[in-house]
Amino acid sequence: MPTVDTVRGPVEVSDLGRTLMHEHVFVLSTEHLQNYGDGRWWDEEARVADAVAKLTALHATGITTIVDPTVWGLGRYLPRIQRIAGQVGLNIIVATGLYVYEELPHQYTYRGPGLLLDMPEPMVADFTRDIVEGIGGTGVKAAFLKCCVEAQGLTPGVERIARAVARTHAETGAPITVHTSGPAESGRLAIDLFGKEGVDLTKVVVGHAGDSNNVDYLMELADTGAILGMDRFGLDLFNPTADRVRTIATLADRGYADRMVLSHDANCFIDYFGAAHDEARAAVASNWHYEYIGDEVLPALREAGVSEAQLEQMLVHNPRRYFSRGTP
Ligand SMILES: [Zn+2]
């Protein structure tokens, strides 16, 4: 039976169970935190305890795995996640890659093939190390790759990252989640590039596809074999829940339940909202939390005609298939 690496070590894919495919534990800027957080809006012990409580509550609802695409650009810091994973029952799967919409981090701008510091693509080396050896000396291995193609499209920096992700996928077999813009339909650009790079498109989640209700666009993506990330439930400002539900029900009715996964893109703490975090966030997006799908979305999907078997497909079988890989 194939296994997938989690923060606590390898788990058989058949044991992943009900899986939310795009949730963060924390979304931070490391420099913001280190320079402005302490004593103002960040208390390390309190934040860890809060995350343990929120993830424990999520686990109690029957979710047994979360897939966390927090990479460089979103404040990835594995020692903190390890502390939390050691105190919760659910599995946390972590990622490697880069979260930028336009420009490369300067650390890669001048290093690479044909650049000032001429060398093989350093991003491929760094991403591969995270997958094969583990992240930052923790021994925790990333199990998937993450990059972005936002409304700005394939800027030179974004394109270089996407190609590095594709090559790391080819070398390691790790699947890919790409952040896209639903309104700009940038999933098309990502899938086109990955296809040309020889990526197995059945191993690609088009993140935030569910921000779109253009069923023709979504079917076009799914027909390549890619998986649609219906993964921002609770972010009603990007697409109201009723519309997200109707779109999923339509696609399920047309036979696409095997190409969709569900999630919130939520977190325990994001460094936008200050010390009174949960109250400030609730004022902006009251439904944006880990338990909204269980509480409200699954009943709404059933009401819209989505069957129990289709829900199980989206929550259990599609994540299991995505993380099932042999050695390349
Ligand atoms: Zn996200």
Side-chain angles (χ1 to χ4, degrees):
M1 177 60 67
T3 62
V4 56
D5 289 299
T6 75
V7 175
R8 290 193 300 257
V11 168
E12 290 191 0
V13 292
S14 58
D15 290 336
L16 292 177
R18 288 199 154 200
T19 301
L20 298 180
M21 282 286 281
H22 190 129
E23 305 293 348
H24 303 270
V25 180
F26 299 109
V27 175
L28 303 163
S29 157
T30 304
E31 287 183 299
H32 188 208
L33 172 61
Q34 289 172 343
N35 292 284
Y36 299 105
D38 206 29
R40 298 174 75 195
W41 46 261
W42 183 263
D43 175 331
E44 181 80 17
E45 295 309 311
R47 292 318 346 162
V48 167
D50 178 71
V52 169
K54 285 172 175 163
L55 291 169
T56 299
L58 174 62
H59 188 211
T61 70
I63 297 296
T64 42
T65 302
I66 62 165
V67 176
D68 182 350
T70 304
V71 292
W72 179 351
L74 292 166
R76 187 182 72 174
Y77 181 59
L78 261 299
R80 185 180 298 124
I81 302 301
Q82 281 182 294
R83 283 188 67 192
I84 292 161
Q87 299 174 65
V88 301
L90 51 67
N91 304 304
I92 304 174
I93 296 175
V94 298
T96 184
L98 272 168
Y99 185 85
V100 303
Y101 290 0
E102 294 184 58
E103 294 189 13
L104 288 168
H106 296 301
Q107 293 82 359
Y108 293 122
T109 304
Y110 299 109
R111 295 189 300 142
L115 298 175
L116 182 66
L117 298 165
D118 193 8
M119 62 176 74
E121 178 54 78
M123 282 184 273
V124 172
D126 289 347
F127 301 161
T128 300
R129 178 174 182 264
D130 284 350
I131 293 165
V132 174
E133 292 174 31
I135 300 167
T138 62
V140 174
K141 293 177 182 173
F144 69 112
L145 289 144
K146 165 80 177 289
C147 61
C148 305
V149 181
E150 244 296 331
Q152 294 88 333
L154 292 170
T155 67
V158 162
E159 180 173 344
R160 194 174 142 200
I161 295 165
R163 290 194 193 282
V165 160
R167 285 169 201 160
T168 310
H169 158 86
E171 286 174 22
T172 65
I176 298 171
T177 291
V178 54
H179 164 114
T180 64
S181 165
E185 302 188 349
S186 61
R188 204 177 270 130
L189 296 173
I191 288 297
D192 186 55
L193 182 147
F194 288 148
K196 287 177 180 152
E197 286 283 336
V199 168
D200 175 357
L201 297 178
T202 68
K203 297 296 184 183
V204 177
V205 168
V206 181
H208 315 326
D211 286 349
S212 172
N213 301 308
N214 181 349
V215 172
D216 291 335
Y217 164 66
L218 296 170
M219 289 194 303
E220 177 190 331
L221 296 175
D223 285 339
T224 69
I227 301 166
L228 305 172
M230 314 309 265
D231 55 15
R232 275 180 161 174
F233 273 104
L235 280 170
D236 293 344
L237 63 170
F238 292 142
N239 194 13
T241 297
D243 293 343
R244 293 181 191 273
V245 164
R246 195 178 311 114
T247 298
I248 291 172
T250 300
L251 289 167
D253 188 50
R254 296 189 189 183
Y256 290 97
D258 67 343
R259 309 283 163 82
M260 292 187 280
V261 290
L262 306 179
S263 218
H264 308 89
D265 197 11
N267 52 72
C268 297
F269 183 93
I270 180 168
D271 60 350
Y272 298 0
F273 293 121
H277 178 271
D278 291 3
E279 296 75 13
R281 177 168 60 187
V284 175
S286 60
N287 296 327
W288 192 36
H289 59 81
Y290 293 144
E291 295 176 50
Y292 185 59
I293 286 176
D295 289 349
E296 303 289 341
V297 174
L298 297 183
L301 286 168
R302 290 184 190 105
E303 183 74 17
V306 179
S307 72
E308 232 31 71
Q310 288 170 327
L311 294 177
E312 198 75 356
Q313 179 84 44
M314 294 188 273
L315 286 168
V316 179
H317 299 293
N318 296 343
R320 180 189 300 173
R321 189 181 75 228
Y322 175 78
F323 283 114
S324 297
R325 59 183 168 105
T327 37

